[in-house]
Amino acid sequence: MVTITGYAKRKNSAEEEFNVLLLQGEIELIQSKESGRFYATAKTCSIASTFNDAICATLIGKTLPGQIEKLECDPYDFHIPGTDEIISLAYTYYYDPVERTMEQEVFQMKPAA
């Protein structure tokens, strides 16, 4: 399951505004490579919508089936908010509405198309 946590305005190539829904996946515990300690996190992404501000606001807190998946992509620079640091990333996250089975989760298998 993913939760709609908010919405934001974006512009298309024609400079027209539209709303995207901000999605957050379930909590995950990740072990730090440096300290070995665990921390809680959740994957996030956005999806385009045709909804106006009022409808987007009513959707906050709603859940959708599926999960947020990591996808490799061409490297790009990312500015870490609140810092001057710029890092290079080669992945992005996307929303996959297809529910995964327990076996797919355990063995990290992709859902059948």
Side-chain angles (χ1 to χ4, degrees):
M1 289 291 217
V2 299
T3 303
I4 299 171
T5 58
Y7 69 97
K9 296 223 176 275
R10 304 276 167 83
K11 289 186 178 183
N12 63 17
S13 59
E15 294 295 314
E16 300 166 327
E17 279 193 342
F18 65 98
N19 285 329
V20 296
L21 298 175
L22 306 177
L23 306 179
Q24 180 175 311
E26 296 193 32
I27 189 171
E28 299 179 45
L29 295 176
I30 306 293
Q31 189 171 21
S32 169
K33 292 177 184 174
E34 293 184 19
S35 71
R37 298 178 72 176
F38 285 89
Y39 62 94
T41 189
K43 294 176 185 166
T44 60
C45 72
S46 63
I47 58 172
S49 80
T50 60
F51 304 127
N52 62 28
D53 292 355
I55 293 174
C56 287
T58 66
L59 295 174
I60 296 172
K62 303 279 187 202
T63 58
L64 300 171
Q67 62 278 328
I68 297 174
E69 297 284 344
K70 188 175 186 177
L71 178 68
E72 290 185 21
C73 65
D74 292 332
Y76 61 96
D77 289 338
F78 177 76
H79 176 251
I80 299 175
T83 72
D84 292 332
E85 188 175 0
I86 297 176
I87 59 174
S88 181
L89 299 176
Y91 64 88
T92 188
Y93 292 111
Y94 72 98
Y95 170 63
D96 183 355
V98 178
E99 290 284 353
R100 293 172 59 114
T101 66
M102 182 61 75
E103 291 82 11
Q104 290 168 328
E105 284 295 327
V106 170
F107 298 110
Q108 298 295 308
M109 298 166 36
K110 293 286 182 195

